[in-house]
Amino acid sequence: MDAIFKALADETRRNLLDMLRERDGQTLSELEQQLGMTRFGVMKHLKVLEDASLVVTRRSGRFKHHYLNAVPLQQVIDRWIEPLVQKPMARMALDLKAQLEGTGPMTTTKESPPDFVLETYIRTTPETLWDALTDGDKTPHFYIAGARLKSDLKKGGRFDYLGPDGSLMLGGEILAIDPPRRLEATFEPGWGENKKPSRCVYEIEKQGDACKFTILHYGLPAGQEGVREGWARIASSLKTWIETGQPAAFTNAA
């Protein structure tokens, strides 16, 4: 947590996060032009943000794209703010639903950079993390509203999240699967009039006695930017549940 608060203490670094919040995936040159400071100065600030895991990067060809990583901020919220918020869980679920609804076609290709990247480190094995993500008896412990995964876990098969009443919250088709390292699926909202699909990817990489868990989202339609907050909540809750056995309160929303 110290690295997070250190990174947030500087106005320039907060401005960088605001820039990425406004338009994620910017290159160093794009950020440099907006700040009006030297390239080296921008790189130093980005390094502090990367050390705090508030910014993560992905390369696309010769370009390095920078992404705001909301998971550490969500963990701060979960630890200090969420317990003080007396907000009904049903209302929270409706707020998330409203955020996710939007319009716009999926225009991405596999070569395009993702719209956003979220990343966290979880003290567990790749096999245990993969099992948590793909076992329908385990997803209610960390997924929003206690959703249960229903999937046959094969390429071309369905990858659907069902609410406690059996209704479809989120659907998808598995595009690629490589246990326990990678899963790629379409992202098909089960709510609202706009059901244009986008694409999401889970990546798991062993890092010593922990795993780096990354969520990438591609081709997000305009108006659905709130999906990032949903993923951040899920990743934070997943980490908490695996490491402590305690689910987040919002997973029990009715």
Side-chain angles (χ1 to χ4, degrees):
M1 292 294 178
D2 290 346
I4 295 174
F5 290 117
K6 174 185 175 182
L8 294 175
D10 183 86
E11 183 178 2
T12 298
R13 293 194 284 272
R14 294 195 299 271
N15 288 338
L16 281 167
L17 294 178
D18 285 338
M19 292 174 195
L20 294 176
R21 172 74 178 181
E22 182 69 23
R23 183 167 66 86
D24 225 349
Q26 296 187 61
T27 64
L28 175 60
S29 294
E30 291 172 320
L31 295 170
E32 178 189 354
Q33 290 172 7
Q34 297 172 72
L35 281 177
M37 62 189 306
T38 67
R39 189 176 187 85
F40 181 69
V42 178
M43 291 173 63
K44 286 181 63 177
H45 284 297
L46 285 172
K47 178 64 165 57
V48 175
L49 292 169
E50 290 180 46
D51 288 345
S53 295
L54 292 170
V55 168
V56 295
T57 61
R58 304 285 291 195
R59 284 199 173 275
S60 179
R62 64 187 183 88
F63 295 104
K64 184 178 181 181
H65 299 269
H66 298 78
Y67 294 89
L68 169 63
N69 185 29
V71 178
L73 296 175
Q74 185 64 52
Q75 290 166 352
V76 172
I77 292 171
D78 290 346
R79 180 172 177 178
W80 283 297
I81 300 175
E82 190 65 29
L84 304 177
V85 178
Q86 302 299 316
K87 184 175 183 179
M89 292 301 106
R91 180 69 257 169
M92 187 180 295
L94 290 175
D95 289 350
L96 179 64
K97 173 182 179 296
Q99 285 183 318
L100 296 178
E101 290 176 352
T103 58
M106 182 174 70
T107 58
T108 190
T109 66
K110 287 194 176 183
E111 291 71 33
S112 302
D115 291 271
F116 64 83
V117 180
L118 300 178
E119 183 178 287
T120 189
Y121 288 82
I122 304 175
R123 290 191 302 274
T124 188
T125 65
E127 292 76 16
T128 298
L129 178 52
W130 180 269
D131 188 52
L133 290 167
T134 59
D135 186 335
D137 291 331
K138 294 182 172 62
T139 58
H141 293 291
F142 63 87
Y143 214 86
I144 291 174
R148 181 178 298 272
L149 176 67
K150 182 179 180 181
S151 176
D152 51 11
L153 296 178
K154 65 180 181 181
K155 185 176 180 180
R158 295 299 301 170
F159 197 76
D160 298 332
Y161 290 95
L162 307 180
D165 62 355
S167 62
L168 181 67
M169 290 180 56
L170 177 67
E173 176 186 337
I174 296 178
L175 303 175
I177 183 167
D178 181 20
R181 290 176 289 271
R182 191 175 189 276
L183 190 147
E184 178 181 352
T186 58
F187 183 96
E188 305 165 8
W191 54 85
E193 297 181 359
N194 173 32
K195 292 182 172 61
K196 294 284 186 179
S198 50
R199 181 166 59 97
C200 61
V201 178
Y202 293 158
E203 290 184 348
I204 299 171
E205 180 183 346
K206 184 172 176 57
Q207 299 267 323
D209 61 353
C211 290
K212 181 171 75 170
F213 175 52
T214 306
I215 300 172
L216 307 98
H217 206 118
Y218 297 80
L220 190 67
Q224 293 192 18
E225 291 79 10
V227 168
R228 183 212 301 266
E229 281 70 25
W231 279 129
R233 276 185 162 269
I234 290 166
S236 177
S237 183
L238 172 65
K239 174 180 171 67
T240 297
W241 179 65
I242 288 180
E243 293 185 345
T244 71
Q246 300 298 315
F250 69 82
T251 61
N252 298 318

